[in-house]
């Protein structure tokens, strides 16, 4: 079943078979984009283009991006903002705060979600992207999605650019970056999908940008890879 251009208000009907039948109507929630990834990675514009503390309406807010100066990662889950920063190769700090500036940031408000049952073949980021691409074949606007469940294996990174460093390429932007692993942990993922915003809020080789935070708030960062079982991971799309 494909999502129409007027979609993301989804009525889900479950049968005894692992199939989701959906009908879509209404307008999808607007996605707000501030700054551009390419201006940071190639242009070296590391300063904040948005101060999250100035977002007045935080209820049902979802978003993601890096911290100003590429000194950490940001995720906003249902009106709560979290900032991660590198401590060591095996440790990070996670602070709940809206006192964050980001050089680029993408966010949306979603008051209600509907669960979408994942097919048995969707178990990784690549298969998730293909599934969303198929569902949204007729959608030309960006949209937010959410996932929650048990992560079998996941790798996230936290940017950690040295103080005072300048950037003129993605390789330079990733200096100091640290990767962390999660295994068999409950977690929540916030993602944004678009075919039209590569190098704006997604990397050039993907239509998705995802951040993950574990339920115990001990790990949060940009999601690089993941494996999960469709039986223990749920996908949610917004109802407007």
């Amino acid at each position: 079943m494909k999502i129409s251009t007027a979609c993301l208000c989804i009525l889900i009907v479950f049968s005894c078979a692992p199939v989701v039948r959906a009908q879509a109507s209404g307008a999808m929630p607007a996605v707000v984009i501030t700054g551009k990834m390419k201006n940071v990675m190639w242009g070296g514009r590391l300063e904040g283009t948005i101060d999250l503390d100035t977002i007045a309406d935080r209820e049902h807010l979802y978003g993601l991006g890096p911290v100003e100066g590429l000194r950490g990662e940001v995720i906003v889950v249902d009106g709560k903002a979290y900032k991660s920063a590198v401590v060591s190769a095996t440790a990070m700090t996670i602070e709940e705060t809206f006192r964050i500036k980001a050089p680029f940031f993408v966010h949306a408000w979603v008051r209600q979600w509907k669960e979408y049952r994942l097919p048995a073949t969707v178990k990784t980021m690549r298969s998730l992207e293909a599934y969303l691409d198929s569902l949204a074949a007729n959608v030309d606007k960006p949209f937010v999605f959410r996932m929650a469940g048990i992560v079998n294996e996941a790798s996230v990174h936290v940017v950690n650019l040295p103080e005072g460093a300048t950037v003129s390429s993605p390789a330079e932007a990733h200096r100091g970056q640290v990767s962390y692993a999660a295994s068999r942990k409950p977690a929540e993922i916030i993602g944004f999908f678009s075919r039209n915003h590569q190098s704006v809020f997604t990397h050039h080789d993907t239509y998705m940008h995802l951040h993950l935070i574990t339920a115990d708030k001990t790990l949060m960062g940009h999601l690089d890879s993941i494996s999960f079982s469709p039986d223990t991971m749920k996908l949610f799309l917004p109802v407007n």
Side-chain angles (χ1 to χ4, degrees):
M1 182 73 186
K2 299 189 185 302
I3 301 178
S4 70
T5 52
C7 98
L8 288 200
C9 178
I10 299 168
L11 173 64
I12 299 172
V13 180
F14 290 99
S15 68
C16 57
V19 176
V20 175
R21 297 178 176 84
Q23 270 190 325
S25 61
M28 67 178 68
V31 170
V32 181
I33 304 161
T34 307
K36 296 180 180 180
M37 181 184 291
K38 60 186 175 183
N39 291 345
V40 178
M41 299 293 186
W42 294 102
R45 300 178 191 174
L46 307 178
E47 69 280 0
T49 59
I50 183 172
D51 185 341
L52 270 64
D53 214 22
T54 64
I55 300 176
D57 183 6
R58 299 175 185 176
E59 189 175 11
H60 308 301
L61 178 67
Y62 296 82
L64 55 81
V67 174
E68 182 179 50
L70 299 182
R71 298 287 295 170
E73 305 287 347
V74 183
I75 189 172
V76 182
V77 183
D78 199 15
K80 293 185 177 181
Y82 301 91
K83 176 177 71 173
S84 63
V86 170
V87 174
S88 68
T90 58
M92 68 171 71
T93 61
I94 298 177
E95 179 185 4
E96 183 181 340
T97 179
F98 267 90
R99 297 181 64 182
I100 307 168
K101 293 182 180 180
F104 69 90
F105 191 71
V106 57
H107 65 283
W109 289 266
V110 181
R111 296 187 176 277
Q112 186 178 354
W113 299 88
K114 286 288 187 180
E115 181 182 342
Y116 228 64
R117 187 181 294 180
L118 289 167
T121 54
V122 178
K123 301 178 180 180
T124 65
M125 283 185 68
R126 180 172 293 183
S127 57
L128 173 66
E129 182 173 43
Y131 180 57
L132 289 172
D133 192 32
S134 175
L135 283 175
N138 298 318
V139 177
D140 61 358
K141 293 182 179 180
F143 62 88
V144 61
F145 62 95
R146 182 169 69 88
M147 301 179 73
I150 303 298
V151 170
N152 290 342
E153 301 290 339
S155 176
V156 306
H157 74 248
V158 177
V159 287
N160 185 40
L161 192 68
E163 292 275 6
T166 58
V167 167
S168 60
S169 70
E172 291 180 352
H174 293 145
R175 282 175 295 169
Q177 174 179 298
V178 177
S179 294
Y180 302 88
S183 179
R184 298 301 304 168
K185 283 204 165 211
E188 184 149 11
I189 298 165
I190 302 302
F192 287 80
F193 181 98
S194 177
R195 296 183 200 85
N196 304 313
H197 291 86
Q198 290 176 309
S199 299
V200 177
F201 67 78
T202 74
H203 287 286
H204 71 281
D205 57 353
T206 180
Y207 297 147
M208 303 189 303
H209 191 159
L210 305 91
H211 283 196
L212 175 149
I213 186 167
T214 55
D216 61 8
K217 307 297 189 294
T218 60
L219 184 144
M220 187 276 279
H222 175 102
L223 186 60
D224 292 315
S225 65
I226 189 171
S227 65
F228 53 85
S229 168
D231 294 333
T232 56
M233 181 65 71
K234 298 177 179 179
L235 170 68
F236 300 90
L237 296 176
V239 175
N240 204 17

